[in-house]
Amino acid sequence: MSSDRYIISAPGKVILFGEHAVVHGKTAIAGSLDELRTYALFEKRIDGYLELNLPDLGLQRAILWPTSILPYNLVNNVETKEGPQKLQFNDILFHKIKSIVSNGQDNQEINHKQQIAASTFLYLYTCLKYNSQTSWDGMTICVRSNLPIGSGLGSSASYSVCLATGLLLAFGYISPPFENKQDFKKSSELINLWAYQAEKVLHGTPSGVDNSVATYGKRRYSVHQWSDSKYKGGFIDMGHHLLNSLGVGHPSLDKVREIAAQYDLHTKLTGAGGGGCAVTFIRNDVPKEKVENVKKDLNASPHCFECYETSIGGHGVGVLDTCISTDLQEFLKSEKNKLAEITGWKRTDEFRMSLRINELRKSIYGSTFLIL
Ligand SMILES: Nc1ncnc2c1ncn2[C@@H]1O[C@H](COP(=O)(O)OP(=O)(O)OP(=O)(O)O)[C@@H](O)[C@H]1O
Ligand SMILES: C[C@@](O)(CCO)CC(=O)[O-]
């Protein structure tokens, strides 16, 4: 049974090895991030309007559409209950949605990034609403994230997973609390499948790693244990140099490496490259003061690098307790570092329902990846 309100949360990701190889069907190793997440609030409306709030993308006001303008007649492939292979990306629908988004707003200018994010939402909404038996006729949505957006840490995948989960819940395709393992498995597969469609809107031809990591996540697994026990700095350096040789490096990422190397720490670029984020691995034996000093040096460099200290293995997608009283205004205006608190994500496990399955996945997209 569908409720009137959901708060969803999904993690960002870091790719440790193989970010470009995975696009060509080779193996990558990736992990979900702890505490760097996207949060989405879904509220039912019955007035036939969709309201989308994306303040992190700089949208000053909500975007509003009547649900009646959506091209449901172009939906031809809603195979939500079938196997993933049956779900094809619908180009005709996507182009129509894009034109609705770019024509539609008389009260504010919407830039390209905002248009793509809005199209992603409308694409999933139109596909999933078609054929659904639900009392939701319209909804208000607000998405917030404490991830850097467009920097290689999977903000788009966590956005996609939040949208897919909220819509699948609202339209009754899945239902919390995912009580038994079978429900767990089915719901997470469906979320991942639809998040992948969203990633296609955002990325074109994604490998599917990012949305899988944001869906499945994993139990906490600290970078310290990981780097100590299995891999040494040489691997990390080699990964970085190989990516540089592909031409996806950036001088500022080399600068991060240079500063961290002064403290005997190893760094590589992560994600697509060409800018974005580098990841520095911190061994168990590195004292806290040393970490603070590296961060200070990175901040103080002419590039003013921003540092996020985290571990690998955050929870996968979760549906948070709907009794939490956070309202739209509070959610919209919250500082990024307060999102976990105001949504209740910081409360104990018994208050949240989380989907987590950890395994080596031979993906439906053709690539193999290990989720840490
Ligand atoms: N909090 C958010 N609010 C609205 N849209 C978001 C949000 N986070 C991500 N997005 C969408 O995802 C896009 C960023 O995707 P992009 O692939 O460029 O970066 P990334 O996912 O952070 O990096 P990578 O894919 O390399 O890991 C944004 O332009 C927007 O469309
Ligand atoms: C660079 C790439 O690994 C995305 C990183 O976010 C490509 C992909 O997996 O689609």
Side-chain angles (χ1 to χ4, degrees):
M1 201 188 66
S2 165
S3 147
D4 289 356
R5 191 167 189 270
Y6 295 101
I7 299 179
I8 322 288
S9 171
K13 66 97 215 306
V14 62
I15 298 191
L16 303 174
F17 294 105
E19 41 271 88
H20 282 273
V22 75
V23 183
H24 303 284
K26 302 291 182 204
T27 305
I29 299 181
S32 51
L33 292 171
D34 204 18
E35 294 177 13
L36 289 172
R37 309 182 64 89
T38 297
Y39 300 84
L41 173 67
F42 282 70
E43 283 177 347
K44 177 175 175 171
R45 291 171 78 117
I46 47 167
D47 62 357
Y49 272 86
L50 292 173
E51 175 186 329
L52 182 63
N53 294 275
L54 301 177
D56 297 343
L57 289 189
L59 267 177
Q60 302 298 323
R61 287 188 295 282
I63 319 181
L64 216 61
W65 303 272
T67 55
S68 56
I69 61 164
L70 294 172
Y72 300 107
N73 59 318
L74 298 180
V75 176
N76 57 12
N77 61 353
V78 180
E79 306 285 354
T80 41
K81 296 198 169 130
E82 303 294 326
Q85 310 81 311
K86 301 241 171 97
L87 196 60
Q88 297 294 320
F89 188 73
N90 187 334
D91 263 317
I92 299 172
L93 175 65
F94 171 55
H95 283 105
K96 179 68 188 164
I97 297 264
K98 251 183 27 182
S99 71
I100 291 174
V101 171
S102 56
N103 294 335
Q105 290 294 304
D106 42 14
N107 66 345
Q108 66 179 323
E109 290 267 304
I110 307 181
N111 68 30
H112 180 70
K113 277 193 177 159
Q114 295 159 349
Q115 285 184 23
I116 297 290
S119 303
T120 307
F121 164 65
L122 284 190
Y123 179 88
L124 289 195
Y125 182 95
T126 312
C127 289
L128 289 168
K129 170 78 180 165
Y130 178 79
N131 256 350
S132 79
Q133 314 268 313
T134 177
S135 58
W136 288 55
D137 184 21
M139 54 180 71
T140 296
I141 292 177
C142 179
V143 183
R144 299 294 318 275
S145 186
N146 61 6
L147 281 156
I149 296 178
S151 300
L153 295 186
S155 72
S156 69
S158 58
Y159 174 72
S160 300
V161 168
C162 284
L163 291 186
T165 308
L167 290 167
L168 286 163
L169 284 164
F171 295 146
Y173 294 104
I174 61 175
S175 52
F178 316 116
E179 265 150 4
N180 60 52
K181 263 197 164 164
Q182 203 46 31
D183 281 352
F184 241 56
K185 197 165 180 306
K186 270 203 197 134
S187 303
S188 48
E189 272 173 13
L190 209 50
I191 291 168
N192 196 26
L193 173 67
W194 281 97
Y196 184 59
Q197 298 302 304
E199 280 282 88
K200 284 188 178 171
V201 176
L202 290 158
H203 276 287
T205 53
S207 69
V209 170
D210 293 8
N211 49 282
S212 299
V213 172
T215 301
Y216 295 101
K218 203 194 166 194
R219 72 182 181 281
R220 193 177 291 255
Y221 194 118
S222 85
V223 176
H224 304 217
Q225 292 159 345
W226 179 82
S227 67
D228 253 8
S229 56
K230 293 196 187 142
Y231 298 92
K232 294 286 174 246
F235 266 134
I236 296 154
D237 293 336
M238 187 167 71
H240 182 82
H241 294 311
L242 285 172
L243 288 165
N244 261 351
S245 73
L246 290 179
V248 299
H250 192 276
S252 61
L253 297 175
D254 290 327
K255 191 71 201 166
V256 176
R257 269 175 60 78
E258 210 179 281
I259 294 171
Q262 288 164 11
Y263 292 85
D264 192 26
L265 297 176
H266 297 267
T267 303
K268 73 178 274 289
L269 79 79
T270 184
C277 284
V279 54
T280 295
F281 295 86
I282 302 167
R283 298 180 305 271
N284 267 344
D285 58 353
V286 178
K288 190 119 193 68
E289 309 81 71
K290 189 165 163 178
V291 177
E292 288 311 314
N293 288 337
V294 190
K295 281 161 66 179
K296 264 193 211 135
D297 285 3
L298 286 163
N299 283 151
S301 87
H303 298 271
C304 301
F305 294 115
E306 199 174 340
C307 301
Y308 301 85
E309 200 176 333
T310 185
S311 51
I312 296 174
H315 286 275
V317 64
V319 181
L320 295 150
D321 189 343
T322 45
C323 303
I324 286 164
S325 59
T326 316
D327 68 12
L328 177 65
Q329 286 311 315
E330 192 183 3
F331 191 65
L332 258 171
K333 305 241 154 70
S334 168
E335 286 167 39
K336 291 186 175 223
N337 60 7
K338 295 272 166 56
L339 285 167
E341 201 178 307
I342 68 155
T343 54
W345 186 253
K346 280 239 155 100
R347 291 161 69 181
T348 57
D349 269 357
E350 60 195 91
F351 288 97
R352 75 173 79 124
M353 298 161 285
S354 178
L355 300 171
R356 280 180 287 134
I357 298 173
N358 319 306
E359 55 196 48
L360 178 67
R361 300 185 67 76
K362 180 87 185 162
S363 85
I364 52 174
Y365 326 107
S367 310
T368 308
F369 43 92
L370 178 64
I371 302 179
L372 286 178

